[in-house]
Amino acid sequence: VRFARDLNTMFKAAIIALLATSATAFMGTPVAHRAPARSGAISMVVEEELGCTRPLGVWDPQGFITKEPEKFARRRAVERKHGRIAMVAVVGLITHEAGIEFPGYLSKTNDLKFSDVRDGIYGILDVPPAGIAQIIIFIGLIETVVWDGFNYSGDYGTGYFGKSLEGEEKVAKLNIELNNGRAAMAGILGAMADEFITGTTFADKIAAGTWPVGP
């Protein structure tokens, strides 16, 4: 009982944290070209900047742009990074719940196959502690060795599927990425909250015919 209560508390905290992260998703980022600002209070952010797309444009309800302009670039980079992670998470969620999994063992020591991992948010509890540690170490290496974690531009030289983009085409693709990332953050948060509240996964709802709306 205590474990279940602690688990509920942990997931509630995770959901709140993800919601707070998603709330910063509509803040723009500076680019080389600038236009006259709408007011002096937001002179550093203009409608033509990346991420300032319709219908919201420049949307900063917490006033971070004016209160802490020096932190703007980092917050913008964090939004982009979280969006990329969320897009991978959504694809992973759908793929795993579709029954597409790696063959073989996740952990031979624990006699645990990839197919033994539960669908949905509770699957992380099936991964052994050593596996969680490997994931954290791998991410740390990516952030510190492979790619520069302090590169706020988000451009790591990989291009768009290997293609180098310039001009308006590049701006359009970057805006698409940002907006898809924002949708993914809201989507993965919604999936986690729904499963936590209802106790059923996306695949369960499809099988029961109760998605998107029950009978």
Side-chain angles (χ1 to χ4, degrees):
V1 175
R2 181 179 179 183
F3 174 78
R5 185 167 58 249
D6 292 341
L7 185 62
N8 287 343
T9 302
M10 179 184 68
F11 275 109
K12 286 179 181 178
I15 290 171
I16 292 172
L18 284 172
L19 184 60
T21 298
S22 299
T24 65
F26 300 97
M27 296 168 58
T29 184
V31 292
H33 59 286
R34 291 185 176 273
R38 296 182 300 176
S39 69
I42 55 171
S43 58
M44 66 169 294
V45 178
V46 295
E47 290 294 344
E48 292 187 8
E49 292 183 345
L50 293 176
C52 298
T53 55
R54 296 179 179 178
L56 292 175
V58 179
W59 191 61
D60 182 25
Q62 299 298 320
F64 288 122
I65 294 173
T66 55
K67 290 188 295 187
E68 299 176 322
E70 73 282 359
K71 296 181 180 179
F72 179 80
R74 181 184 180 279
R75 286 196 174 104
R76 188 56 187 72
V78 169
E79 176 203 3
R80 182 190 300 110
K81 187 176 295 185
H82 286 180
R84 290 172 175 175
I85 293 171
M87 285 189 281
V88 174
V90 169
V91 173
L93 176 74
I94 295 173
T95 301
H96 195 268
E97 294 197 6
I100 303 173
E101 294 139 354
F102 288 113
Y105 286 86
L106 173 63
S107 172
K108 284 193 174 182
T109 304
N110 294 281
D111 193 29
L112 179 68
K113 295 182 178 180
F114 285 102
S115 57
D116 295 330
V117 177
R118 287 173 286 178
D119 292 337
I121 59 176
Y122 294 101
I124 190 65
L125 301 178
D126 296 333
V127 181
I132 299 294
Q134 289 175 26
I135 293 172
I136 294 174
I137 292 172
F138 175 75
I139 293 173
L141 289 174
I142 292 293
E143 285 280 300
T144 58
V145 178
V146 180
W147 290 333
D148 183 4
F150 294 98
N151 178 6
Y152 294 159
S153 72
D155 185 357
Y156 301 114
T158 58
Y160 179 72
F161 293 100
K163 179 183 177 182
S164 179
L165 302 178
E166 298 296 337
E168 292 302 317
E169 184 181 14
K170 181 176 182 179
V171 171
K173 294 295 185 183
L174 289 173
N175 275 322
I176 289 172
E177 178 196 25
L178 286 167
N179 287 325
N180 285 350
R182 292 163 180 170
M185 285 189 280
I188 196 64
L189 174 64
M192 292 174 63
D194 179 71
E195 183 182 342
F196 179 72
I197 293 169
T198 66
T200 57
T201 66
F202 176 66
D204 293 335
K205 291 179 175 63
I206 293 291
T210 57
W211 187 90
V213 180

